Amino acid sequence: MERRQHAVVIGGGIAGLAVAGALAGRFRRVTVVERDASADGAAFRAGVPQSRHLHSLMGAGQRALDDLLPGFTDGLYAAGAVPLRTPYDHLWLSPAGWCHRFPPSHTVPSASRELVEWVLRRRVSGLPDMVVRDRLEVTGLVADDERVTGVRVARRDGSGAEEVTADLVVDASGRRSHAARWLAALGHGETGTTLVDSRAGYASRCYAVPEGFADEWRVISIQPGPGQPTRGGALVQVEGGRWLVSLYGYLGDHPPTDEDGFLAFAASLRHPVLHDVVRDAEPLGPVHGFRHMANERRHFEDLPRWPQGLLVVGDAACALNPVYAQGMSVAAMTARRLRALLDEGVDDCAALQKETAAGNDRAWRIAVGADLAYLGEAPVDERARREAGRMGRLLELAMVDAEVNRVFFDVMMMLAEPDALATPALAARLAQGPARP
Ligand SMILES: Cc1cc2nc3c(=O)[nH]c(=O)nc-3n(C[C@H](O)[C@H](O)[C@H](O)COP(=O)(O)OP(=O)(O)OC[C@H]3O[C@@H](n4cnc5c(N)ncnc54)[C@H](O)[C@@H]3O)c2cc1C
């Protein structure tokens, strides 16, 4: 990228918008190309079917978005996001038992995915020299022998096609990205893929928070555990006086999408509290299902020859089982890393692709480590095995010990490295063994 005149981002989802924020000011012009029509406000759109389901933003993702687009969190609260104090506002039944009600250690905004995206989009659209073009579908890359020089787009109103030239194209088009196919057609070979599928499935529904609700908690999370190893569910308060309830099941034990089946599944969790709360609440729409949640990593960074002028980020490069709520945060952190690398003068796209791919490693290890355990398979490597064992023991302690709980949340929210859980002080606490939850 000797010239930094124009960058094109494919996809106006969370990864695309975060990357657009990262490229702003580093390229003379940035264009985001999105297939869907935009709505005036937070609304469902067909290109992001997952937005009907619970989307928790981790503390690290929130920070990354604030770094990229200052004022993001304030904007999210102004648009109606609900502050969640962790763990104070949570009724949390973990695999190791109930979590004590400890004083708040973090406050994070809780909102629907649609609101998060809309607030991001407004911020990004307001940046100088930024254009967000809707109803344009990227149908292919334009390239010469050395580099990608732009994209081919088709207008979705049927009025024709065009080529948009760019010094950098960033594919952030999500799980259904065509990047691997496009690269193969350009002669770059087959992209290797790792797939780990614990056959998880979601079903979600919104309810009105009942009038006079005492607001003694804002989250209920019942995780799979002893007695009910495959089923879990969460209820989270979001904007608009709504509870968003997502039920999930592993190994094909999927929650049904009919009214009775949904409630019966909720009643079958390890504790009936979530069911008892929603049973009498007013539903605000139908139940929606989602089934394609495998961890899928495309190893673009391993291709022997990588074209200058192209990067692939977000779910297009590394899609994670959403039960662990990492995708948006990883996308935001990748975008921030990309900005830092560009600011250091790294211009070689092969190096940028490798560096941004490395940023997915930790989230990948967590999601795949947990899913391999569901599948009854051994962890991918020794480090993953050690981390899983330590996290299991620490979880028990985190349920009953305020200090451990705080550090545990830091690590869960990716605000601290897992090493924060390996200090001598924590080792001494662990050696004492957990008190009873
Ligand atoms: C059920 C479910 C629940 C989830 N829960 C969480 C959670 O709790 N926390 C969390 O952090 N993450 C969660 N995620 C993951 C999260 O949705 C994604 O990881 C994150 O949003 C990053 O996605 P993305 O922007 O890469 O892709 P997407 O969100 O899929 O966006 C891709 C965009 O590209 C557009 N597009 C696609 N093809 C083209 C094309 N050819 N031309 C132009 N535009 C195109 C699409 O219309 C879309 O707007 C969940 C995912 C699922 C499936």
Side-chain angles (χ1 to χ4, degrees):
M1 281 178 296
E2 316 70 49
R3 298 178 321 129
R4 291 194 188 174
Q5 295 293 321
H6 187 209
V8 166
V9 180
I10 310 173
I14 304 296
L17 292 169
V19 161
L23 299 178
R26 276 76 192 165
F27 281 77
R28 190 159 283 176
R29 257 179 333 123
V30 180
T31 305
V32 179
V33 179
E34 168 53 49
R35 191 173 52 184
D36 281 346
S38 73
D40 185 19
F44 178 80
R45 54 190 186 81
V48 191
Q50 73 266 35
S51 72
R52 304 204 199 263
H53 304 272
L54 197 62
H55 267 69
S56 306
L57 184 60
M58 301 275 188
Q62 180 199 352
R63 267 193 204 168
L65 291 173
D66 271 329
D67 287 345
L68 290 167
L69 299 157
F72 161 75
T73 296
D74 292 345
L76 198 54
Y77 281 128
V82 177
L84 288 186
R85 296 161 301 176
T86 57
Y88 189 80
D89 287 325
H90 293 234
L91 288 186
W92 178 22
L93 181 57
S94 80
W98 286 101
C99 182
H100 242 61
R101 171 163 274 191
F102 295 117
S105 55
H106 300 280
T107 301
V108 287
S110 169
S112 66
R113 148 82 199 235
E114 288 151 13
L115 191 71
V116 172
E117 187 183 294
W118 186 59
V119 169
L120 267 184
R121 188 183 158 115
R122 268 195 320 185
R123 297 240 144 220
V124 167
S125 314
L127 294 171
D129 305 314
M130 175 74 62
V131 182
V132 184
R133 295 183 65 186
D134 288 318
R135 302 201 67 202
L136 272 189
E137 176 157 3
V138 174
T139 53
L141 299 175
V142 184
D144 59 26
D145 285 348
E146 296 289 311
R147 54 180 303 133
V148 168
T149 57
V151 290
R152 250 185 298 282
V153 297
R155 292 186 211 104
R156 294 200 77 205
D157 60 6
S159 68
E162 62 183 281
E163 278 186 15
V164 182
T165 56
D167 304 297
L168 175 66
V169 172
V170 183
D171 181 5
S173 63
R175 272 184 190 260
R176 285 165 291 176
S177 158
H178 299 297
R181 189 163 56 75
W182 291 336
L183 279 161
L186 290 175
H188 289 273
E190 293 298 317
T191 306
T193 300
T194 308
L195 189 77
V196 178
D197 188 0
S198 61
R199 302 195 312 285
Y202 265 44
S204 300
R205 191 176 208 185
C206 275
Y207 294 85
V209 177
E211 285 221 359
F213 173 65
D215 199 22
E216 288 169 331
W217 44 262
R218 292 179 177 177
V219 177
I220 299 175
S221 175
I222 310 291
Q223 290 184 285
Q228 182 48 282
T230 52
R231 297 182 175 190
L235 172 158
V236 176
Q237 194 172 326
V238 295
E239 76 277 2
R242 293 178 299 161
W243 281 331
L244 177 49
V245 176
S246 288
L247 305 178
Y248 54 90
Y250 286 88
L251 303 179
D253 183 16
H254 295 162
T257 53
D258 65 286
E259 169 121 27
D260 292 344
F262 185 78
L263 280 177
F265 193 96
S268 74
L269 302 184
R270 283 166 62 219
H271 194 279
V273 60
L274 196 157
H275 166 264
D276 293 353
V277 164
V278 298
R279 183 186 46 200
D280 301 321
E282 178 201 345
L284 295 174
V287 180
H288 296 280
F290 201 98
R291 300 293 183 247
H292 307 288
M293 319 213 311
N295 303 287
E296 187 170 3
R297 196 161 184 184
R298 297 177 181 133
H299 300 284
F300 295 110
E301 67 282 3
D302 292 342
L303 281 176
R305 204 165 57 82
W306 184 259
Q308 189 62 351
L310 180 70
L311 295 175
V312 187
V313 299
D315 284 12
C318 181
L320 300 157
N321 180 347
V323 171
Y324 314 109
Q326 304 184 96
M328 294 191 297
S329 296
V330 172
M333 291 156 77
T334 302
R336 187 176 55 187
R337 177 80 184 123
L338 176 61
R339 185 180 68 175
L341 290 165
L342 289 173
D343 288 352
E344 285 166 21
V346 182
D347 262 343
D348 174 42
C349 283
L352 290 169
Q353 187 65 38
K354 276 196 172 42
E355 284 278 345
T356 53
N360 297 323
D361 285 351
R362 175 176 168 188
W364 176 260
R365 262 202 323 274
I366 290 173
V368 165
D371 280 358
L372 287 178
Y374 272 103
L375 293 166
E377 291 177 27
V380 264
D381 57 27
E382 178 55 22
R383 181 171 174 192
R385 195 190 62 74
R386 269 201 324 268
E387 270 176 24
R390 197 168 60 201
M391 289 300 267
R393 290 193 305 281
L394 279 159
L395 180 66
E396 291 177 1
L397 201 52
M399 295 299 98
V400 295
D401 181 315
E403 177 58 18
V404 179
N405 189 281
R406 190 186 58 72
V407 184
F408 193 83
F409 262 96
D410 279 351
V411 173
M412 249 176 47
M413 293 201 177
M414 298 190 256
L415 290 167
E417 291 299 316
D419 292 351
L421 289 165
T423 62
L426 282 187
R429 273 193 162 86
L430 268 182
Q432 288 165 9
R436 286 187 62 79

